[in-house]
Amino acid sequence: MKKVYERKFISKIPKETYRGTEAQQREALKQSPQLEAFRQYREALKNHPYMPAFHFWAPDGKINDPNGLCFWNGQCHLFYQAYPPEDFRQHWGHTVSDDMVHWKDLPLAIYPDLEYAVFSGSSLVEEDRVIAMYHGRGIGNMIATSSDPLLLNWEKDSGCPVIPLTPDSSDGKPYRVFDPFIWKEEEGYYALSGCYYGEEEARHTGYKNKMVEHLFFSQNLSDWTYMGELTEDGFPQEELGNDGACPYFWPIGDNGKYLLFHFSHRTGPHCLLGTYDKVLHKFYPDKHTRFNFGPIGCSSYQAPCLTPDGKGGLYLIYNTTDANLTLTRQGAMTVMHHVTLDEEENVHIEPVEQLDSLHVSHYESECRLKAFEETILQPQGKELDIKLDICLTDARAVTLSVLRSPDGKEHTDITVYRSRMKRLDHIACEYSVAVDTTHASSTPDAEGRQPEVMKLPDVKDGHIRLRVLVDRCMVEVFVNGRITMMQMMYPSEDSRQISLTALGGPVHIPSVQVWNMASIYE
């Protein structure tokens, strides 16, 4: 018999309820106290130098994991861990978009009451409703559903928590209940719960330093059966000590492949590509990709959140963390990424095409760089979309510096390297990209982060496509569709220049394109 939980953690934020058609809901939202407070906050801070112009940030301060990304009633809904100033426990915040670029605030979606706080989770869209499965802090994994036009009203399952924190002894091996991911197959619902076997779990299981995704099954959403681990023997391609928080497990492409994205509190986001046996309910990963290298929680990608694009690909968004603890705003979302498989079935990631709608002015030219001479480019700005086509043949590296001050003291550097090695019968080349914020900010409030380096796979003839999104205090880097990185920095007001430097030899860049970007908060 299930334990009955009291509603002893009811939120201090008055819950807003909206009934009727979409038009009626939109009209009623004009009187929302929450939205009026959000509007005033955004209006006061929209021009702050450290408030991004085209990345989504919370309308009342801190933001954390993205949750429940989905399409409903023709719109893209994004939920997120919000921290209302009046009750600083996690609630699910809510925003909606017609194009995954411009976002409109909506009232808080899911409030704590049975649980101490509303932690991370995912959503599943059915014909007549959206199901949210999330972790309720202190009690276990929860189910809530919504079916109204704007997903404003959520009802929790009467059996919550549907997967309690403490497993029943009949379930066999102990499992840890954490951020869940839910999906549906013909026979019913499945859910993952990410975990890590450390010292405590090793005493009960014999496992240690093992990342696990626990699998559960239900036919009615209220009663769940533990099915064991998603893989036969953990995830051997990943480093020891990782945990499988915020898992997303979606089919991708048209050849039966599945993609498992997750976040490790030790090493950041990872994804594994492989095959999924729907009879044995086992996942067999064969390719592994990691995103961002360095300390977690200081200027880095954090939790991923994914949903299908309806064409075999996926949409992906992360939350990011600040490296300036004095800001009222803490954290922001990345732009929306589009995840597909290329012809060789490698994971391919680019910003969504809709981001181009923010392009304002356009600069394009070729550029011939002399060795060890810095070239200042004509365009300037703090809200930029930069695209370079680079061929590293005579030089060993090219550095793109953004948010550069006129005296050169402040700059954020994105460097593409070529390393040659002598083999028995030929010269082999390897390529990598580094993001260095060592000189990005002269303010003492900016926390330090060592340069991050990622190896570039499958570079052909030294050709590298580099795309860099600059947004006041954020830089997102995309290389050849195979590597993505993100960093935070806090430059002075006059740090607006762009420059290029070739190292070790001359470089001809046939295409340098720069767009100034419009704000989504105008």
Side-chain angles (χ1 to χ4, degrees), residues 191-481:
L192 294 180
S193 186
C195 178
Y196 163 66
Y197 282 123
E199 294 287 348
E200 180 179 349
E201 291 81 10
R203 288 196 294 268
H204 302 285
T205 65
Y207 299 139
K208 187 177 178 181
N209 289 330
K210 179 181 178 182
M211 179 190 130
V212 174
E213 296 290 352
H214 293 296
L215 181 65
F216 299 84
F217 172 73
S218 175
Q219 291 183 319
N220 59 12
L221 294 178
S222 296
D223 303 297
W224 291 81
T225 301
Y226 179 51
M227 301 281 289
E229 301 174 17
L230 182 64
T231 58
E232 291 287 355
D233 189 26
F235 296 87
Q237 298 183 69
E238 296 199 17
E239 299 92 332
L240 293 178
N242 282 343
D243 63 327
C246 302
Y248 286 85
F249 186 56
W250 289 112
I252 187 170
D254 53 11
N255 290 323
K257 293 291 186 178
Y258 271 70
L259 192 66
L260 175 67
F261 249 92
H262 74 91
F263 174 75
S264 166
H265 288 84
R266 179 175 176 268
T267 58
H270 297 252
C271 77
L272 296 110
L273 182 70
T275 56
Y276 172 55
D277 188 324
K278 289 189 175 183
V279 176
L280 299 177
H281 301 293
K282 293 294 182 183
F283 176 55
Y284 302 96
D286 51 44
K287 290 184 179 180
H288 169 235
T289 304
R290 181 179 168 186
F291 305 90
N292 265 106
F293 285 72
I296 302 305
C298 174
S299 181
S300 66
Y301 284 139
Q302 295 288 286
C305 187
L306 297 96
T307 195
D309 68 358
K311 301 177 182 178
L314 300 167
Y315 292 122
L316 160 69
I317 195 168
Y318 299 95
N319 70 303
T320 67
T321 52
D322 272 277
N324 184 331
L325 305 183
T326 67
L327 296 180
T328 301
R329 175 194 60 75
Q330 286 293 316
M333 295 296 170
T334 63
V335 300
M336 192 69 72
H337 300 181
H338 193 206
V339 185
T340 56
L341 295 184
D342 63 19
E343 294 179 355
E344 286 78 35
E345 293 195 334
N346 296 309
V347 176
H348 187 93
I349 305 179
E350 300 278 4
V352 292
E353 292 182 3
Q354 294 90 324
L355 192 67
D356 292 354
S357 67
L358 298 180
H359 288 169
V360 180
S361 60
H362 182 215
Y363 166 90
E364 183 173 5
S365 73
E366 67 173 345
C367 193
R368 297 184 182 274
L369 305 176
K370 296 180 180 180
F372 302 107
E373 290 187 10
E374 185 178 23
T375 299
I376 306 297
L377 301 183
Q378 177 181 329
Q380 297 186 8
K382 288 193 168 186
E383 302 92 22
L384 302 170
D385 184 356
I386 304 170
K387 294 182 182 180
L388 302 178
D389 283 324
I390 302 170
C391 189
L392 280 181
T393 52
D394 298 323
R396 62 174 177 262
V398 172
T399 295
L400 168 68
S401 295
V402 298
L403 300 172
R404 182 189 186 278
S405 61
D407 61 8
K409 291 183 178 180
E410 282 189 343
H411 50 90
T412 293
D413 298 332
I414 301 98
T415 302
V416 179
Y417 294 93
R418 181 209 66 198
S419 300
R420 294 190 294 184
M421 295 156 287
K422 192 171 184 180
R423 304 301 189 206
L424 290 176
D425 57 352
H426 69 286
I427 300 296
C429 291
E430 287 190 351
Y431 300 86
S432 58
V433 60
V435 179
D436 186 354
T437 60
T438 304
H439 301 283
S441 178
S442 58
T443 174
D445 294 327
E447 299 299 318
R449 186 178 181 89
Q450 67 265 40
E452 296 199 18
V453 182
M454 295 185 73
K455 182 178 177 181
L456 296 175
D458 306 323
V459 175
K460 295 182 174 67
D461 302 321
H463 182 246
I464 294 164
R465 291 180 296 104
L466 180 64
R467 185 172 184 180
V468 178
L469 301 176
V470 181
D471 193 1
R472 297 183 183 173
C473 63
M474 297 179 66
V475 168
E476 288 196 67
V477 178
F478 300 80
V479 191
N480 283 1

Side-chain angles (χ1 to χ4, degrees), residues 35-209:
L35 294 192
E36 176 57 23
F38 294 167
R39 186 196 66 77
Q40 293 180 18
Y41 184 90
R42 290 205 184 281
E43 183 63 27
L45 294 173
K46 69 179 182 180
N47 294 319
H48 190 285
Y50 302 150
M51 295 293 182
F54 57 90
H55 289 76
F56 181 82
W57 37 275
D60 56 5
K62 180 177 170 63
I63 197 171
N64 203 35
D65 299 358
N67 302 135
L69 181 67
C70 66
F71 288 89
W72 174 257
N73 202 22
Q75 293 182 300
C76 182
H77 290 261
L78 173 65
F79 304 89
Y80 57 90
Q81 281 189 1
Y83 298 75
E86 301 85 357
D87 188 340
F88 209 61
R89 298 174 295 155
Q90 290 93 330
H91 297 55
W92 264 26
H94 189 187
T95 184
V96 66
S97 177
D98 292 323
D99 60 2
M100 297 180 289
V101 175
H102 299 83
W103 296 95
K104 296 179 181 179
D105 295 314
L106 291 175
L108 298 172
I110 302 179
Y111 299 64
D113 50 22
L114 296 170
E115 66 277 52
Y116 177 77
V118 181
F119 273 21
S120 290
S122 58
S123 67
L124 174 65
V125 177
E126 295 190 318
E127 184 176 348
D128 59 346
R129 65 178 179 175
V130 176
I131 302 165
M133 190 174 195
Y134 66 93
H135 185 67
R137 182 180 172 186
I139 59 175
N141 288 352
M142 315 279 285
I143 289 285
T145 58
S146 179
S147 58
D148 64 84
L150 292 174
L151 300 182
L152 301 177
N153 311 295
W154 291 84
E155 297 293 332
K156 296 178 185 178
D157 189 287
S158 60
C160 278
V162 295
I163 306 179
L165 278 179
T166 304
D168 186 273
S169 58
S170 63
D171 288 324
K173 293 179 181 178
Y175 53 80
R176 219 181 227 183
V177 176
F178 206 52
D179 308 331
F181 170 74
I182 184 172
W183 77 97
K184 191 175 184 180
E185 298 181 22
E186 290 183 4
E187 61 272 25
Y189 300 95
Y190 288 86
L192 294 180
S193 186
C195 178
Y196 163 66
Y197 282 123
E199 294 287 348
E200 180 179 349
E201 291 81 10
R203 288 196 294 268
H204 302 285
T205 65
Y207 299 139
K208 187 177 178 181
N209 289 330

